[in-house]
Amino acid sequence: MKRFFLCLGIVATFGALGHPSFGGSEGTYGSERTSRSGTISEGKLPTFTLDQAILTALQRNPTLLNAEQEIKRTRGVIIQVRAQALPQINANANFQWIDPNLTGARIFGNTSPTSGFTPSGTAASLMEGLPSQIRDVGTPLAAATPAPVRNVEQSDISYAISVTGTQLIFNGTTFNQIRGTFFQRDSAYFAFRNVLDSLISTVKTQFYQIIVNRELVKVNEENVRLLEAQLKDQQNRFEAGTVPRFNVLQADVQLHNQIPQLITAQNNLRISKLQLAKTLGIYFQPRRGESPPLEVVGEMPYNPRTINLADAIEMGKERRPFLKQARANVLNQLQQVRAAAGQYLPNITTTGGGEWVSSPINSSWHDISKGWTALVQGSLPIWDSGAIAGQVIQQRALFSEAKITYDDDVRQVELEIQTAYSNLQQNEELVRSQEKNVELADEALRLAKARLDAGAGVQLDVLNATVQLLTAQSTRLQALFGYNSSLAEFDRATGAQSTYTEMFANLRPRATTTKTYYTGSAVDAMGEPKETGEERISTTTRRTSSK
């Protein structure tokens, strides 16, 4: 025992001495982290093309990163649930030491070595409180000579070690739950794909918003310059006495009416840059001050696309990850129904292992007792007052909700595609109409200036022509932005972002490429062929008439 207490004291001493060194290392880590954060270099203003902006968003956008972590989480769920059907091995050990002074007190309160001794006082009260564990034996025929009884001294140290393994043989829930976790993983992957498509569409829209705001700033600046030149010309004419002061006042009012539109356009440009920077995951830099966080390089494209609406809707149903995620949810709920009903089946497990137990009179490792144990357990619910039936009813209701949600998601996809297609048509018609209108407004402004210079026109004609040119240019730019943003939304609604999806092929489970997730118009929520319209109507009619 002295050796035991000596070892315990040494361990406690080293533990107390090692504590301050741990605190010092923690402080060092904190200072190192601070120094690293302080040495982040702030380079020049970042500039992005459209492709660079999309790639940056795919790497740094928090919504997409969270969706990627959700895939990893579901993989952990698979491992956790699958472990229920695999062998599990556990090792248990216990060590106990009892003071020798307490050992005798625990064994009948220090029994006497002779049978003729009668306890008295405190010892007698202790003896009376203990139940007798020795049966009365009849009086022997001949009195034997009492021999001294030698108590066997028990060891003050006891220990036991066991290694057991458990294996599930059969039940009705675990294997269905395992299959359900695979559908949960597939659902997380399709949710990631859906976030990816939405992110790409958002980046395109915000990128084009910066471009159109930049062009609107240029248009408003050009109009302000024209109005300033017009005001200066009218002031010169007024000083020469050729025009009344009313013309100067009218030109001045028109100029100041145009300046707020320029200020608004400049503010919209700044805000659009801030929104794109947030989507790309760019932090605010104090050294930047009020300067924009980024710049974009590119022009507003216009590439008309010929689209067949029926084909686009069918392609959207087949490729949209939104529908495939709903399909995975339906299949997962089906497995949950089966798992709930599986509780009616028996549950059989087996346990086996080995044990090593110390001797009660000797703590030596060579005197241990060892052996093997085996156990098979089985249980079958006979009467649970409807607890399992209630769970089955709940899961069936959730299964029906998932199928109803899938059907509604199909209609949602159809609505989004048709809405994007209608917006494309509207903006394409606006672009075509405004291209010629800008040319006419520019020519009208030139003629109005020429007539005013020749003395055949009035200043109001020039001002009206300037306003009409600004309106035509702004409308054309908004139409171009609307067409490109509608095209980005159309690509999202039809799932046409395959170019960037291939970048995350390592996250794609193999099961997501099988026919299980075919979501065309010919299949229902379960992926099985649909009934024709006449059959469905006739079936509904028969059910109604039977009622």
Side-chain angles (χ1 to χ4, degrees):
M1 291 308 304
K2 293 181 179 180
R3 184 181 304 172
F4 171 76
F5 283 112
L6 180 60
C7 295
L8 185 62
I10 294 175
V11 171
T13 303
F14 277 104
L17 292 177
H19 218 50
S21 62
F22 178 78
S25 63
E26 185 177 4
T28 304
Y29 171 77
S31 62
E32 181 181 357
R33 185 174 60 181
T34 304
S35 62
R36 288 181 179 178
S37 62
T39 55
I40 296 177
S41 60
E42 299 178 1
K44 61 180 182 179
L45 194 65
T47 303
F48 296 94
T49 62
L50 179 58
D51 289 337
Q52 291 173 347
I54 293 176
L55 293 177
T56 303
L58 297 184
Q59 295 173 359
R60 306 181 61 177
N61 184 264
T63 305
L64 188 66
L65 296 177
N66 287 337
E68 182 179 356
Q69 295 303 316
E70 182 64 18
I71 297 176
K72 297 179 180 179
R73 187 194 68 81
T74 55
R75 290 176 178 175
V77 173
I78 292 176
I79 297 174
Q80 177 186 358
V81 177
R82 185 177 57 190
Q84 300 177 13
L86 298 177
Q88 299 183 11
I89 301 176
N90 297 316
N92 298 318
N94 61 73
F95 178 87
Q96 184 179 20
W97 172 79
I98 301 176
D99 194 323
N101 296 324
L102 299 176
T103 303
R106 294 192 176 187
I107 305 175
F108 303 110
N110 291 329
T111 57
S112 60
T114 59
S115 60
F117 177 76
T118 301
S120 62
T122 306
S125 63
L126 293 175
M127 289 294 294
E128 291 175 358
L130 294 173
S132 175
Q133 298 184 2
I134 304 177
R135 297 181 180 178
D136 293 334
V137 183
T139 305
L141 297 178
T145 304
V149 180
R150 299 179 60 186
N151 289 336
V152 178
E153 182 180 358
Q154 289 191 348
S155 174
D156 57 347
I157 296 177
S158 63
Y159 52 86
I161 301 174
S162 64
V163 178
T164 58
T166 305
Q167 173 62 54
L168 174 66
I169 302 300
F170 175 79
N171 68 9
T173 60
T174 300
F175 298 100
N176 292 314
Q177 290 175 351
I178 292 175
R179 283 192 288 268
T181 58
F182 286 107
F183 293 122
Q184 294 176 19
R185 176 203 60 190
D186 297 343
S187 175
Y189 170 73
F190 289 125
F192 172 82
R193 284 276 310 276
N194 192 37
V195 172
L196 174 65
D197 291 348
S198 300
L199 178 61
I200 294 174
S201 176
T202 301
V203 172
K204 287 183 178 179
T205 302
Q206 293 179 350
F207 187 89
Y208 293 140
Q209 186 68 62
I210 293 178
I211 293 179
V212 70
N213 289 336
R214 184 180 63 190
E215 295 300 322
L216 288 174
V217 168
K218 293 179 180 179
V219 169
N220 282 276
E221 288 176 346
E222 180 65 24
N223 280 274
V224 167
R225 284 193 292 269
L226 290 175
L227 293 175
E228 288 176 346
Q230 184 67 23
L231 174 62
K232 185 177 181 180
D233 178 70
Q234 293 300 315
Q235 288 176 344
N236 294 334
R237 291 173 182 266
F238 172 71
E239 292 174 357
T242 57
V243 296
R245 188 171 181 272
F246 173 77
N247 287 15
V248 177
L249 295 177
Q250 192 174 27
D252 194 8
V253 170
Q254 188 67 24
L255 171 62
H256 285 82
N257 286 338
Q258 184 61 40
I259 291 177
Q261 298 184 23
L262 174 60
I263 296 174
T264 302
Q266 292 173 341
N267 183 58
N268 292 336
L269 177 60
R270 288 193 299 268
I271 292 177
S272 60
K273 290 181 179 180
L274 294 174
Q275 290 175 344
L276 180 60
K278 193 267 180 185
T279 303
L280 301 185
I282 298 176
Y283 289 96
F284 171 76
Q285 299 294 339
R287 295 183 181 179
R288 173 173 57 85
E290 298 181 358
S291 60
L294 53 84
E295 291 292 341
V296 299
V297 177
E299 301 294 333
M300 186 71 70
Y302 178 62
N303 301 313
R305 184 187 301 181
T306 303
I307 299 174
N308 183 282
L309 181 59
D311 294 341
I313 292 177
E314 185 60 28
M315 182 179 68
K317 292 180 180 179
E318 294 177 359
R319 303 179 61 178
R320 184 75 180 272
F322 178 62
L323 281 183
K324 299 181 186 297
Q325 179 186 1
R327 168 69 58 75
N329 293 336
V330 171
L331 298 177
N332 176 42
Q333 286 300 327
L334 175 61
Q335 298 302 322
Q336 300 307 319
V337 172
R338 293 175 178 175
Q343 298 180 72
Y344 287 114
L345 300 177
N347 185 6
I348 303 175
T349 59
T350 180
T351 303
E355 294 187 7
W356 293 262
V357 182
S358 64
S359 172
I361 61 175
N362 188 359
S363 62
S364 175
W365 177 259
H366 300 286
D367 294 336
I368 63 173
S369 299
K370 56 184 177 180
W372 301 97
T373 62
L375 175 66
V376 177
Q377 291 180 323
S379 62
L380 178 66
I382 296 178
W383 178 254
D384 61 355
S385 299
I388 298 178
Q391 296 181 27
V392 173
I393 293 174
Q394 295 177 45
Q395 295 300 329
R396 285 179 177 173
L398 293 175
F399 177 55
S400 299
E401 291 178 8
K403 292 195 293 184
I404 295 172
T405 302
Y406 177 87
D407 294 336
D408 185 65
D409 290 342
V410 172
R411 293 187 290 270
Q412 180 66 26
V413 170
E414 294 174 350
L415 173 63
E416 291 178 357
I417 295 176
Q418 293 179 86
T419 302
Y421 178 77
S422 179
N423 290 334
L424 279 174
Q425 285 185 320
Q426 174 193 1
N427 290 293
E428 186 175 358
E429 293 173 359
L430 286 175
V431 170
R432 285 199 301 263
S433 65
Q434 292 304 311
E435 283 180 347
K436 188 66 176 177
N437 190 30
V438 171
E439 296 178 0
L440 295 177
D442 193 11
E443 180 65 15
L445 178 61
R446 187 187 66 81
L447 293 176
K449 289 181 178 180
R451 285 167 52 85
L452 181 63
D453 294 339
V458 295
Q459 180 193 14
L460 183 61
D461 295 337
V462 176
L463 297 178
N464 289 336
T466 304
V467 172
Q468 294 300 325
L469 177 60
L470 173 63
T471 302
Q473 291 174 335
S474 301
T475 304
R476 178 178 178 276
L477 289 174
Q478 293 292 349
L480 285 173
F481 168 73
Y483 182 83
N484 285 281
S485 61
S486 299
L487 191 61
E489 174 63 17
F490 182 82
D491 290 339
R492 183 198 69 84
T494 56
Q497 306 289 359
S498 59
T499 303
Y500 298 98
T501 303
E502 297 300 327
M503 297 174 53
F504 302 93
N506 58 326
L507 298 176
R508 180 177 58 198
R510 185 173 57 182
T512 57
T513 59
T514 61
K515 294 182 179 179
T516 303
Y517 293 105
Y518 174 75
T519 54
S521 299
V523 296
D524 59 6
M526 295 291 297
E528 300 186 3
K530 285 183 178 179
E531 298 178 354
T532 60
E534 293 79 10
E535 292 177 354
R536 297 176 66 181
I537 294 175
S538 61
T539 303
T540 305
T541 304
R542 287 196 301 269
R543 291 178 180 175
T544 306
S545 60
S546 64
K547 292 181 180 179

